[in-house]
Amino acid sequence: MSAAKWTTDMPIVSLRDVHKSYGAYEVLKGISMDIMMGEVICIIGPSGSGKSTLIRCINALNDIQSGSIKVEGQEVNDPKLDKLALRKKVGMVFQQYNLFPHKTALQNVMMAPIKVLKQPRDEVKKRARMLLKKVRLEGKENAYPGELSGGQQQRVAIARSLAMNPQVMLFDEVTAALDPETVKEVLTTIKDLAADGMTCILVTHEMAFAREVANTIYFTDRGVIVEHGPPDTFFANARDPRTREFLSQIL
Amino acid sequence: MENTRTPWKSYLAMTQTDLPVMKPFQLAPAKPVGEVCLDILSQRRFCLCLLAVLLAWISVDAAIAQSSGGSRPSALETILRWTPLIFFGPSGEVGGFLLNILVSFMAMAIGTFLGLWLGIGQISLIGPVRKASWLVTQIFRNSPWLVLLFFFMLLLPYEVEILGKRYEVPGWAKATFALSLPVMANVSEIVRGAIASLPTGQWESAESLAFSRRQTIWSIILPQCVKRMLPPWMNWYCILTMSTPLISILGVNDSMALTQNVMAAEDRSEILIPLYLWLMSWFFLYSYPIAVLTRRLERRFAVKQ
């Protein structure tokens, strides 16, 4: 019902006072944020501050204890939620790529549209080839994940996620497991994606990249958003002492 | 303590570490199965085993032939005369060593089919299904096979009525079903273990691509499990084949029962050892290549994962 009311001038992803605990340990202590369509959001912060948990909650990989998460106006924190419908809208890329090792790069990209969206095979194949070209992996269609480098695997994972035509893409520290020289190729892919107008929510440690690509930077620490703002003001004049301390350590 | 160490021990202490160590390893190129079988047969160890069995038998036979003074056919002749019966069974009947193989095939097929579902049941999100699958698995995994055999021989009907016609249920069919149950339970554990051994990232990425749980299991999880399941599965096939002579106790005319019949008919104690050695060698010849192949697959997959 609420999904019908959603219009593009409203936030595509909206979090209100989200609380999440693992047992007695509270990871998220009241997170609120609004993300508009086409925006690129970078979430930064020390490890253990709940960044990954936060974005995993957005596509219901983790459930939350209280609060509200809305994607296109649809409430995620709802026991009757159609998780599959939500995940068709929200793509996710993981730190460990998680490609299906028994399928080739092309098959990895084709699988979900064919099996989940029941789209015709020929059409999907054409699109999958196009997507692999877009992530600069032309000629690697028939390679198995084990035959690809980390950076190449991660780009296949991005193409695989894009094949579902998601409205929002979540990137969970996608370059953290990569060699320094392959980080760039993955970041370039994400940059292209952002330039095309894809709504992206990234958890990242790549500060220079965040500064260049993000519309808004969120800094989280110990389960709360300490401060947020456009990258220029955020990096130049952080107000909160915790942010300043973090930035001084990392920059 | 430190200086009482023997040299090899101190060497071990030097080389052993808790940290992951990369050791030099070169993966052997994959060979076709036929070639692997030939390899196995040409293995010196394998041939030595066979030779030992044959030598033992012939020497026993020679000793007996000497003692009997040539008045009766030698043990070798006697055994060869009965071999077709023990191998193929009485004419017009399913029996003999072929029945052992048939029972092993069928029990494995039934057990694998049921075990696959039971194993998937063990990871079900529905509590009662999961618990029931676990219970069934544990019961049949921890029961003696012979007890199961007796139990099902007595429990299953002697004949069934289908469309007004009465059909006798052959003993070997009941025995096959009984043997398939422990196989089922062990396959169930193999399936559960293989699924649990996959990284959780596979489930998560499938989930985030909107795969349903059923789709995830059948098109992403299980295909990756086949490799991991194959060696233990083959191992259980060997164990099952070795256990098929148990069915002779229940009056099924398998190779074991026929061998006992031959012993009774011949009433010659000197063929006892060679005859059973002869029978053993068939099981050995059948199972040993499978065992070696299993070990090879295990080694190969262990490196690749």
Side-chain angles (χ1 to χ4, degrees), chain B residues 201-228:
Chain B
Q202 291 292 315
W203 288 92
E204 285 180 351
S205 63
E207 244 182 286
S208 71
L209 287 167
F211 279 92
S212 69
R213 192 174 164 86
R214 180 179 301 177
Q215 284 172 329
T216 305
I217 289 176
W218 287 99
S219 51
I220 291 157
I221 302 299
L222 284 180
Q224 294 185 52
C225 288
V226 172
K227 249 191 197 178
R228 291 157 195 246

Side-chain angles (χ1 to χ4, degrees), chain A residues 105-120:
Chain A
L106 190 67
Q107 287 168 337
N108 261 282
V109 179
M110 287 169 62
M111 234 176 140
I114 291 175
K115 296 226 177 218
V116 177
L117 303 178
K118 313 279 183 213
Q119 290 173 344

Side-chain angles (χ1 to χ4, degrees), chain B residues 185-202:
Chain B
N186 285 292
V187 169
S188 164
E189 279 296 275
I190 292 170
V191 170
R192 189 193 57 76
I195 291 175
S197 75
L198 282 188
T200 51
Q202 291 292 315

